[in-house]
Every structure is written in structure tokens, then in C-alpha cells.
């Protein structure tokens, strides 16, 4: 994959105008952070053919062999936009997969992209905030495009891939549409209502019995709603509402 194979299909004004492609990286998050500290242009995208130390949320490992999508978008944004980045990224992934393959996707709070209840993609956002100002934000996106999940017993029961072997054209098509969609949604800010509404409407989590872990706390109850900051509101058996800002949920009922 060459940067121009991506950039020539873009309709964007700034996202992906600069693409840096490396066949192998430890993690696009680290390369993006270094680039952001050096002041690369807004919307620069770092793409890896494969990652040797890909990471997920909550310090998990993210498998990132060749054939998958692993990229990070660098943004110089404002603090009010931060809660929307995860919604924008999740919707851009969902739209790009659906547009390229016709396969229906769902979102599991806060940012897992599911197909048939299994994880097809994830989002990791790392921000550098100083004195209430965002120095930079790195939006990391991983999508299982050409992963033979059966070869990875640690994820085979819970993950899914669009194809079971690398399909370079599909990978390029999804990246282009992902970046186009990301910018289209991002440019709606500061008016994030429609983004929030669509993200909320696609969440499989709402109405389900959930078990949420947030730090050391475990909260069980029914996922009642999400607020516009992206927090999940859980109603516990005793009727109390608990707000979970960051964490992980297990759906205990289909
Ligand atoms: C998650 O579901 O926990 C988030 C997964 C995020 C994976 C992507 S792949 C590109 C970027 N680089 C990384 O090391 N992680 C993110």
C-alpha cells in the first residue's frame, strides 16, 4: 500500500491529506504521538501494514497482523469536541464497513464495532490535555478485514473478520471511506446532536442487562441510556442510577 493509493480516492479537505504508511510499526498510536509532538499537520494519518505491539483499551493487546486495518488520525481539536471523537470514529467505521461490504454493523458501548454480535473493530483515543487545552488527540482505529480468526484461539470466540485472508483492494476502499466519513462527521462539530443521536441509536447495549467494570468497580444493572458526553447510565436493581464514564461492559442478555 502506498500513501497515494489512499489519498487519490479521498474527498477530504484535511483528514488524510498527509498519509504516512509503514509496513511494520510497534503501534500507530506511538508513531502518531511522536508525529503530533513534532507538529505534523492536522488530520495526518499513520497507517501500519502490521503492528507488533498493537494495543486496545484497558491495556489490552490488539492483534494486528498484515491484512487488517490499523491506523491513527492526529487531530488538534478543542476540549468540547473530545467526547464526540469516539462517536464519530465508531460511526465512520460502521458506515465504511456497511458501504464497502453491505454487511450490517452495530456498536457496543463505548466503541466496539460488532458484526453478528462479534467484534470486528475497535477504537482507542489518546489525548494530551494541558491546562484544559488539547495539545493533540490521536484516534486509533483497528478493523479486522483480512484476519483468519480461527488461527487466534484467544479471540476466535468473540471476534470476526470481514474476510479470512488479506484483500488489499477492500482494505484501501474501507480506509478511504472511513477517512471521508470521519471528516464529514467531524465537520458537523460543534453541533454534535445528530452524531450523538445516531451513535445512540446504533448501540446494542441499551436496554440490556449489563455488567460494567470501571476501574476496580463493578456495576450491574440495566443499561438505560447514554448521555451526550458518551457516559453510560445504568439502573441498578435497587433503582439507583449510576453513570459509567469509561470502562467496559459485558452484555448478560442477548
Ligand atoms: C479496543 O477495542 O480496545 C481498541 C482497539 C484499537 C486498535 C487500534 S489499531 C490502530 C491503533 N494502534 C494501536 O495500537 N491501537 C489502535
Amino acid at each position: 500500500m502506498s500513501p497515494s493509493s489512499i489519498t487519490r480516492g479521498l474527498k477530504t479537505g484535511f483528514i488524510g491529506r498527509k498519509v504516512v504508511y509503514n509496513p511494520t510499526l510497534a503501534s500507530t498510536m506511538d508513531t502518531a504521538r511522536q508525529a503530533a509532538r513534532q507538529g505534523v499537520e492536522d488530520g495526518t494519518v499513520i497507517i501500519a501494514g502490521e503492528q507488533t505491539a498493537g494495543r486496545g483499551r484497558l491495556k489490552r493487546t490488539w492483534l494486528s497482523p498484515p491484512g487488517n486495518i490499523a491506523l491513527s488520525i492526529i487531530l488538534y481539536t478543542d476540549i468540547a469536541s473530545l467526547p464526540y471523537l469516539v462517536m464519530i470514529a465508531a460511526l465512520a467505521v460502521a458506515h465504511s464497513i456497511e458501504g464497502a461490504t453491505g454487511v450490517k454493523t452495530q456498536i457496543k458501548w463505548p466503541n466496539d464495532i460488532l458484526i453478528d454480535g462479534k467484534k470486528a473493530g475497535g477504537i482507542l483515543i489518546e489525548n494530551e490535555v494541558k491546562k484544559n487545552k488539547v495539545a493533540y488527540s490521536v484516534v486509533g482505529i483497528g478493523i479486522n478485514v483480512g484476519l483468519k480468526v480461527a488461527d487466534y484461539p484467544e479471540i476466535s470466540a468473540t471476534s470476526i473478520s470481514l474476510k479470512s485472508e488479506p484483500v488489499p483492494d477492500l482494505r484501501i476502499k474501507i480506509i478511504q471511506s472511513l477517512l471521508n466519513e470521519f471528516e464529514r462527521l467531524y465537520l458537523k462539530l460543534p453541533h454534535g446532536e445528530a452524531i450523538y443521536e445516531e451513535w445512540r441509536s446504533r448501540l446494542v447495549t441499551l436496554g440490556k442487562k449489563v455488567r460494567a467494570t470501571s476501574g476496580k468497580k463493578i456495576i450491574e444493572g440495566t443499561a438505560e441510556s447514554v448521555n451526550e458526553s458518551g457516559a453510560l447510565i445504568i439502573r441498578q436493581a435497587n433503582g439507583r442510577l449510576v453513570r459509567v464514564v469509561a470502562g467496559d461492559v459485558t452484555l448478560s442478555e442477548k
Side-chain angles (χ1 to χ4, degrees), residues 26-30 46 51 53-58 60-64 69-72 111-112 119 121-124 139-143:
S27 165
T28 57
M29 300 306 284
D30 299 334
I46 311 290
Q51 298 181 115
R55 56 177 188 267
R57 293 174 62 244
L58 311 170
R60 292 185 184 130
T61 299
W62 181 260
L63 284 172
S64 205
I69 290 175
L71 61 81
S72 292
N111 53 11
D112 288 353
K119 185 152 169 167
I123 293 147
L124 176 67
V139 180
I141 296 173
I143 307 177

Side-chain angles (χ1 to χ4, degrees), residues 89-124:
L91 289 175
V93 172
H95 293 167
S96 63
I97 292 177
E98 290 178 5
T101 64
V103 172
K104 188 92 189 85
T105 61
Q106 292 169 314
I107 302 172
K108 180 171 154 241
W109 184 89
N111 53 11
D112 288 353
I113 309 303
L114 307 184
I115 294 173
D116 291 337
K118 293 187 171 178
K119 185 152 169 167
I123 293 147
L124 176 67

Side-chain angles (χ1 to χ4, degrees), residues 66-89:
N68 272 359
I69 290 175
L71 61 81
S72 292
I73 305 169
I74 297 160
L75 295 170
Y76 304 106
T77 191
D78 54 275
I79 203 121
S81 301
L82 291 185
Y84 293 106
L85 294 184
V86 67
M87 303 177 200
I88 291 171

